Amino acid sequence: MNKKTTIVKWLSDYLTNSKMKGFVIGISGGIDSAVTSTLCAETGFPVLAVSLPIHQNRELHNMSEVQKDWLSGRYSNVVTENVDLSKVYDSFEQSVDSSELGYANSKARLRMTTLYARAAAEGFLVVGTGNKVEDFGVGFFTKYGDGGVDISPIADLTKTEVYELASELDIPNTIQSAAPTDGLWDDGRQDEDQLGATYPELEWAMSYNGEELITERQQEVLDIYRKHHEANKHKMMPIPVCKVH
């Protein structure tokens, strides 16, 4: 089986065995959520695709609308919603003292809480959109935010493989060509700005097996990858438990 068929079957089998009714997924307008939501839709089971703007950049919000319209127009089992969390976030920000990073991560956690609230109402599973590099390489996700999910269909795919699958699924070109961003920052910074390397570079570093380095950039990328991996191990490992028995 190819990747698409494998993942769609896995999703269908998991949902059936879980006794749940369908899938709920946050729609960002990015490539990962576009591919993941489409794979969920391909199962034929009910899918609730929710955009969750928080003072969202207009361009990013428009991309999520493109994604929702494309999904609902193509799949009769997809229902879309828009839940604007801006006022909820404003109230939270006024009530809790935190850092710039803390507030940014709080956006992801408010979205996670909303998805689980909708999932509980519908009897659905919350679907994650993280890829292999983000989830197991550099830990580029918010703990208990976009990392808080029931299942992760594309977490064994590199970003390159996600793009390949996007092409196979005929995801809208505007989404395929957009620069990756987590959408958590008011200045619109992109993933590469935050990570210091491109996804193909990080994929190379993740698979590096000790061969001789050819360029200075390769060493730079390895250092960048290792820095993120070490700093974010706490996200990728089980919660430490104090053993007393």
Side-chain angles (χ1 to χ4, degrees):
M1 291 189 291
N2 62 21
K3 293 181 179 69
K4 171 188 169 182
T5 303
T6 298
I7 297 172
V8 171
K9 182 179 185 304
W10 181 85
L11 282 164
S12 299
D13 291 347
Y14 192 96
L15 182 68
T16 300
N17 292 333
S18 74
K19 309 300 182 185
M20 302 298 274
K21 300 175 183 178
F23 306 103
V24 61
I25 182 169
I27 296 297
S28 67
I31 195 74
D32 293 324
S33 68
V35 167
T36 305
S37 57
T38 304
L39 291 169
C40 289
E42 285 280 334
T43 67
F45 288 103
V47 177
L48 176 59
V50 188
S51 61
L52 302 157
I54 301 177
H55 298 300
Q56 205 70 16
N57 173 285
R58 174 51 55 183
E59 183 178 349
L60 287 178
H61 183 64
N62 288 344
M63 293 286 280
S64 70
E65 293 299 308
V66 167
Q67 187 175 338
K68 287 195 305 180
D69 290 345
W70 181 84
L71 276 171
S72 58
R74 185 164 176 152
Y75 298 96
S76 61
N77 56 317
V78 174
V79 173
T80 66
E81 290 182 359
N82 182 72
V83 180
D84 193 330
L85 295 171
S86 298
K87 291 183 179 178
V88 176
Y89 173 77
D90 288 345
S91 178
F92 175 83
E93 188 179 37
Q94 292 166 12
S95 303
V96 179
D97 185 29
S98 189
S99 64
E100 183 184 28
L101 178 60
Y103 285 129
N105 283 331
S106 294
K107 294 178 181 179
R109 292 175 179 130
L110 286 172
R111 288 170 177 149
M112 177 275 293
T113 301
T114 305
L115 291 177
Y116 270 99
R118 294 299 291 116
E122 303 293 339
F124 286 4
L125 293 170
V126 176
V127 184
T129 63
N131 59 66
K132 188 174 185 177
V133 177
E134 292 171 337
D135 283 5
F136 302 110
V138 293
F140 191 59
F141 60 90
T142 298
K143 199 173 187 178
Y144 308 121
D146 50 329
V149 299
D150 292 319
I151 53 174
S152 295
I154 65 167
D156 197 38
L157 300 181
T158 64
K159 195 79 165 183
T160 297
E161 289 174 315
V162 171
Y163 277 107
E164 291 170 354
L165 200 48
S167 178
E168 180 182 346
L169 293 168
D170 200 27
I171 300 297
N173 288 331
T174 51
I175 294 174
Q176 292 194 52
S177 61
T181 176
D182 60 14
L184 296 180
W185 304 91
D186 295 337
D187 58 12
R189 69 189 72 173
Q190 299 171 357
D191 290 357
E192 187 176 342
D193 298 326
Q194 297 185 67
L195 292 168
T198 65
Y199 279 103
E201 286 178 324
L202 294 170
E203 290 167 18
W204 167 82
M206 193 172 181
S207 63
Y208 176 70
N209 60 10
E211 68 268 23
E212 183 179 354
L213 301 179
I214 298 173
T215 67
E216 290 185 10
R217 178 58 180 169
Q218 287 179 324
Q219 185 60 61
E220 290 176 0
V221 171
L222 274 179
D223 291 341
I224 289 169
Y225 174 82
R226 288 166 177 164
K227 179 191 71 174
H228 288 301
H229 185 79
E230 288 300 316
N232 292 321
K233 267 187 178 179
H234 67 98
K235 301 181 188 179
M236 300 179 274
M237 297 176 67
I239 298 170
V241 174
C242 175
K243 297 290 187 180
V244 295
H245 297 293

